[in-house]
Amino acid sequence: MDKLLIEGGRRLAGEAAISGAKNAALPILCAALLTREPVTFTNVPQLNDIGTLLKLLGQMGVKVSRDGDAVTLDASVIDNPVAPYEMVKTMRASILVLGPLVARCGEARVSLPGGCAIGARPVDQHIKGLQAMGAEVQVEHGYVHAMVPRLTGARLFTDMVTVTGTENLMMAACLANGETVIENAAREPEVVDLANCLIAMGARISGAGTDVIRIRGVESLSGTTHRIMPDRIETGTYLCAAAATGGEIRLTRTSTAYVDSVVDKLMDAGCDVTSERDAIRLKAPARLTSVSIRTSPYPAFPTDMQAQFMAINAVANGAAMIRETIFENRFMHAVELQRLGADIRIDGNTAVVHGVERLQGATVMATDLRASASLVIAGLVADGETVIERIYHLDRGYERLEEKLAALGARVRRLT
């Protein structure tokens, strides 16, 4: 199993390009199931999760072709509307095929995703919404089996804000008979990007980006070409890496519009952040000031950036409190950061971090995608060598990580 070796103590400086957003690309690729015409998506990142989803779509009958960051999908024939456990277990976002398959084919069998390291991610809101739209849904032998001749528009209220639930139901509603209203909808930029893609395909959607989304169903959707938005979490991660090392970087093909809450906290920590049209510049002080954060659904501070801020607070001046309100088990990286010398105390969903002068390199283990990113940041500032095990997590969400960090001056290499 591959490992990552980081020689710490080097200041990041230079320029790096941000890739397309994985969390936008996954639902948008699933949207291809809604039309018989070819669709082409550009700025698609080359990540393990993307490859898994394309393989899943291919086994359903979708013709898949890839050229660099462009992916063309032809779902004119769907002869196997099934998402088997063997594929779904490796990527929870596979549940996003459920809504499009039911809407297009009238039937779908999708495996329940199973457990997740960072906490419960129930799909009951997806099922509840499809049932309200007239689908007969049964959960049997670990699979969600949904059937309906044609979905009917309905008023849907999700009990909790769910990004994938909002996306699944929005896609399903595009081909439903009548109007669907999703209340308490997720407001994330990735939801807006999906809505923009669907609108380009002929869907009638309003309100994306607010907590009430309206979809007027149509008979069919057409093909289109759509560019995936920049990855705001990758953007935030590189900003944090530069901030922790006292660096100065310019990130291209991205925008502060997607990371306002993250930028605000980095400025509170003492960084100088400048916004350009399609780029962000950051200049960090020699040592950061600790900043407290509380995760909440967009537009508040994202849970996917919590681990990275724990890493920078570990070497900042002062103490900070981190409250995690989204997932109940998302402090597993704290124990690994402690192995590097971080002073962190956990009490339920709250972590108190006292900054130390420096961290010490050691061998640590990644537990999930964003935890991996926090360990990379810590490794970049630690004295000596840090070895991160189980880095397949990083390959799920960070395209060409070693290459981009090396271009910024880091000493990092993969061990096989």
Side-chain angles (χ1 to χ4, degrees), residues 43-61:
N43 203 32
V44 179
Q46 297 190 34
L47 301 168
N48 287 354
D49 278 7
I50 298 295
T52 298
L53 181 61
L54 292 178
K55 184 178 178 181
L56 175 62
L57 294 175
Q59 68 94 33
M60 292 178 182

Side-chain angles (χ1 to χ4, degrees), residues 102 106 108 127 130-131 133-138 144-149 151:
V102 175
I127 294 172
L130 290 174
Q131 288 174 326
M133 297 170 72
E136 178 184 340
V137 184
Q138 295 179 337
V144 178
H145 187 195
M147 295 181 295
V148 65
L151 292 169

